[in-house]
Amino acid sequence: MRLPLPLSELIKLMAGIYIHIPFCKQACYYCDFHFSTSLKYKDELLQALVKEIQLQKGYLDGETIETIYFGGGTPSVLSSDEINLLLGTITNLHTVSSNAEITLEANPDDLDREKLSLLSKTDINRLSIGIQSFFDDDLKWMNRVHKANEAESSVKRAQDTGIENITVDLIYGYPLLNDQKWKQNLEKVFELNVPHVSSYSMTVEPRTALATFIKNKKQPAMDDQQSAAQFLILMDAMQQQGFEHYEISNFCKPGHYSKHNSNYWKGVKYLGIGPSAHSFNGETRQWNIPNNTKYIQALQQASIPSETEILTETDRLNEYIMTSLRTIWGLDLNKLNTIAEAASSQLNIAAQRYFENGWIEQKDQIINLTQTGKLYADHIASELFF
């Protein structure tokens, strides 16, 4: 399989900026990201975002910005003027690459022709559309805002507008989704000819509505065997359609991997702006308070409401193991040794059982998960931790 980009080139990638937009029209039952369903303080929060961008201008040490990512929440609730305000603030304070990848997460119901026309006049050049399913009963079960027909039409409208760098999200492994419906969802994505797909197994996070429904016996628990079987269906279908499985949950046509998320997995520096956003500069990790009101109040006083953790050698080893094993580029034993001398020898001892059962494989100094191993990625990584 051809690698999306050689490791030597990935190392050259510059820094990224993530902007968290904490607003949604309604709460999906499974979601545990930070957001509010009230837009009452949207103007105040936008000004706080601008202020934080200004206060954080030195965090990335002047590195060129290669990627900007609007996540959430639902960033497509922003107008084009509001997007331009945030992008303009960034470009005034940072050197942004002329071919920077600038992504906006969007819900299908937001992407009407007028919205897409206005977006095409901003510097947004990549859309991440949260489709999740092409079946109305599934979308209702998730408490999604959009309908199945909006999911399909939003992609087509974006393509008609000239936005072709599109990724869509799909979810599998939940009670309503039998294997036949899952295959139909995948077939619909292939028909739409999108170059990138992110697909996740339904997980039950604490303090979500879904967790409460299951606890109160109003919904059945998720079935791990169903999830594993549908993940295998996903991997086989993507391979047949010429997609590269470059990260556990991400697939792309050659050359269309997400630069921004690839940077996360390769340990590139990034700055997170907004309530609950995280930042990483190689030595420390920083995260903002997940509270809109407190975030706004702090920024009005020119203070960043964040906490910082200094990463120990063990932290950096374990983080590299966790992220690298998820990717097509794999775990580089030489890089592991640059974090801690002789770390590769210790890891090889712990990994022996997974070589023997065929869950991982090694070529030269690179360790990768096999297809079977991808079913147990988190477990394998945790067992290899220092």
Side-chain angles (χ1 to χ4, degrees):
M1 181 180 291
R2 187 181 71 84
L3 293 182
L5 200 67
L7 181 60
S8 60
E9 289 299 311
L10 274 170
I11 293 172
K12 296 176 184 177
L13 288 177
M14 307 299 182
I17 293 178
Y18 171 83
I19 305 173
H20 189 78
I21 307 300
F23 299 114
C24 288
K25 292 178 180 177
Q26 66 186 41
C28 300
Y29 290 148
Y30 56 85
C31 182
D32 72 337
F33 292 139
H34 170 65
F35 66 91
S36 169
T37 55
S38 170
L39 298 180
K40 182 177 179 181
Y41 297 107
K42 189 174 80 162
D43 290 344
E44 289 87 344
L45 190 122
L46 281 167
Q47 292 305 315
L49 293 174
V50 168
K51 186 65 177 178
E52 188 187 359
I53 294 170
Q54 293 168 342
L55 293 175
Q56 295 266 42
K57 63 181 179 181
Y59 185 84
L60 297 172
D61 294 327
E63 291 195 16
T64 299
I65 305 303
E66 183 77 13
T67 66
I68 300 172
Y69 194 101
F70 289 85
T74 311
S76 52
V77 302
L78 296 181
S79 69
S80 58
D81 287 342
E82 291 165 340
I83 291 170
N84 284 331
L85 170 65
L86 296 171
L87 289 176
T89 305
I90 290 171
T91 56
N92 286 338
L93 297 169
H94 297 273
T95 299
V96 178
S97 172
S98 60
N99 63 344
E101 176 191 88
I102 305 177
T103 304
L104 180 82
E105 288 184 353
N107 276 357
D109 51 291
D110 288 328
L111 297 177
D112 57 27
R113 293 191 185 281
E114 180 182 4
K115 179 79 168 189
L116 285 162
S117 177
L118 292 170
L119 283 177
S120 70
K121 296 177 174 62
T122 71
D123 288 332
I124 298 294
N125 53 31
R126 184 173 182 268
L127 286 179
S128 176
I129 305 178
I131 286 175
Q132 316 311 351
S133 174
F134 291 98
F135 291 93
D136 280 331
D137 53 346
D138 295 38
L139 295 171
K140 183 177 180 181
W141 181 86
M142 298 177 195
N143 203 38
R144 297 288 293 172
V145 176
H146 70 276
K147 303 295 184 183
N149 64 331
E150 291 176 308
E152 181 176 355
S153 62
S154 67
V155 175
K156 292 179 177 178
R157 282 195 298 270
Q159 292 167 331
D160 290 343
T161 307
I163 304 174
E164 297 182 354
N165 194 2
I166 296 171
T167 179
V168 300
D169 285 357
L170 294 176
I171 298 178
Y172 59 90
Y174 52 91
L176 273 66
L177 189 73
N178 59 40
D179 289 352
Q180 184 57 39
K181 287 174 69 176
W182 180 224
K183 291 175 183 178
Q184 288 178 252
N185 274 339
L186 295 174
E187 289 167 3
K188 179 61 68 176
V189 166
F190 299 144
E191 289 173 10
L192 290 170
N193 196 32
V194 295
H196 189 287
V197 177
S198 296
S199 189
Y200 306 93
S201 175
M202 179 65 76
T203 55
V204 183
E205 302 293 346
R207 298 184 299 276
T208 61
L210 180 58
T212 301
F213 295 155
I214 293 172
K215 180 181 179 180
N216 295 335
K217 310 297 183 183
K218 294 182 179 180
Q219 291 288 348
M222 301 303 108
D223 184 332
D224 290 342
Q225 291 186 335
Q226 174 197 3
S227 179
Q230 291 181 348
F231 185 41
L232 290 171
I233 291 170
L234 170 68
M235 288 191 286
D236 289 341
M238 289 292 171
Q239 184 177 32
Q240 292 171 15
Q241 292 292 324
F243 282 75
E244 297 176 353
H245 191 183
Y246 75 101
E247 193 271 342
I248 289 292
S249 303
N250 287 273
F251 305 79
C252 70
K253 289 294 181 72
H256 286 278
Y257 60 94
S258 165
K259 290 182 181 179
H260 187 83
N261 289 335
S262 294
N263 284 359
Y264 283 156
W265 303 316
K266 301 310 298 184
V268 175
K269 295 178 183 180
Y270 60 88
L271 169 63
I273 300 294
S276 80
H278 285 231
S279 303
F280 171 76
N281 65 6
E283 301 296 330
T284 66
R285 190 169 298 285
Q286 177 178 297
W287 58 95
N288 291 346
I289 190 170
N291 182 295
N292 290 0
T293 301
K294 292 181 180 179
Y295 174 81
I296 292 168
Q297 290 173 344
L299 267 302
Q300 287 174 341
Q301 301 299 317
S303 173
I304 301 170
S306 64
E307 295 183 51
T308 300
E309 172 189 23
I310 298 174
L311 300 176
T312 66
E313 181 180 270
T314 299
D315 290 335
R316 289 184 286 124
L317 284 168
N318 292 343
E319 184 160 312
Y320 178 64
I321 291 168
M322 174 63 77
T323 56
S324 64
L325 275 180
R326 295 181 64 87
T327 73
I328 194 174
W329 302 286
L331 189 160
D332 186 335
L333 294 173
N334 291 326
K335 181 171 181 178
L336 199 70
N337 286 336
T338 66
I339 301 173
E341 187 177 350
S344 62
S345 298
Q346 184 175 337
L347 181 132
N348 264 317
I349 294 171
Q352 194 57 43
R353 75 178 99 167
Y354 301 116
F355 285 119
E356 292 172 357
N357 66 15
W359 288 6
I360 61 175
E361 57 191 6
Q362 181 174 342
K363 182 177 182 181
D364 299 325
Q365 293 297 300
I366 306 297
I367 293 176
N368 287 101
L369 297 174
T370 63
Q371 179 157 312
T372 301
K374 290 173 183 175
L375 294 168
Y376 309 101
D378 290 344
H379 169 75
I380 295 170
S382 65
E383 289 294 303
L384 298 181
F385 283 171
F386 285 78

